Amino acid sequence: MLQRKLKIVAVGKVKYRWIETGIQEYLKRLPGLNITEIKDSNQRTTLTEIQPYLKAQDQLIVLTERGKLLDSIAFSQFIQQQTFDRSLVFVIGSSDGITPELEKSADHTLALSPMTFTHDMARLLLIEQIYRAISIATNGNYHK
């Protein structure tokens, strides 16, 4: 589980220092997690914008309000069940969302919540849930 390659491709930069501080704290705990920021073009995020950051063997997981809702334990199981030799690449689109083309090309679509969050907050929540998923999978104390 700890050897799995996890990546996040996020549109735009984090605007709030307190969110960036939280993200950095979790990144210390998740040294293998790679985050790539792509420029926010104020358009819906397209597959062409994301494609340069994907390899053929990567599993594309797009976060969208139409995605599957999982609780923390199910999310941990989801990560564990994915093909181990493929990196999991989570995409957080722009504030305008993602294109239907990008959503259709995803191996999976997930939603963080039925509520709406800023993209900065979504990034922090995703990273925290990835950390929690690893804690659950390794019987760590964090989830308790």
Side-chain angles (χ1 to χ4, degrees):
M1 175 68 185
L2 295 175
Q3 300 301 320
R4 177 176 296 286
K5 291 186 180 179
L6 302 170
K7 303 176 192 174
I8 296 174
V9 177
V11 177
K13 296 201 175 288
V14 173
K15 296 175 185 77
Y16 301 103
R17 185 180 311 224
W18 64 273
I19 292 178
E20 183 61 36
T21 300
I23 289 169
Q24 291 307 314
E25 178 59 36
Y26 284 107
L27 287 177
K28 288 179 203 171
R29 301 175 190 189
L30 294 166
L33 180 62
N34 181 354
I35 300 177
T36 301
E37 293 180 341
I38 60 175
K39 185 176 180 181
D40 189 352
S41 60
N42 293 326
Q43 298 173 3
R44 293 171 63 93
T45 308
T46 66
L47 183 57
T48 3
E49 291 172 303
I50 302 300
Q51 200 69 45
Y53 305 100
L54 299 175
K55 295 179 182 166
Q57 69 273 19
D58 289 344
Q59 289 189 58
L60 178 60
I61 303 165
V62 173
L63 297 179
T64 173
E65 60 195 15
R66 293 168 298 285
K68 185 174 183 177
L69 286 168
L70 301 173
D71 64 24
S72 296
I73 292 172
F75 182 61
S76 179
Q77 292 167 344
F78 167 80
I79 289 176
Q80 293 174 68
Q81 292 167 352
Q82 301 313 303
T83 307
F84 194 81
D85 60 345
R86 294 176 69 193
S87 294
L88 303 183
V89 180
F90 296 89
V91 173
I92 301 172
S94 72
S95 58
D96 293 325
I98 57 169
T99 61
E101 172 196 33
L102 177 58
E103 190 171 332
K104 287 177 188 170
S105 70
D107 294 295
H108 304 280
T109 57
L110 296 177
L112 291 173
S113 168
M115 295 180 174
T116 302
F117 300 108
T118 66
H119 287 267
D120 290 5
M121 185 65 78
R123 192 180 314 188
L124 177 59
L125 291 172
L126 175 61
I127 294 168
E128 189 278 339
Q129 284 299 298
I130 290 170
Y131 181 74
R132 185 177 296 274
I134 290 171
S135 177
I136 291 167
T138 58
N139 295 313
N141 290 329
Y142 182 79
H143 182 64
K144 296 176 181 170

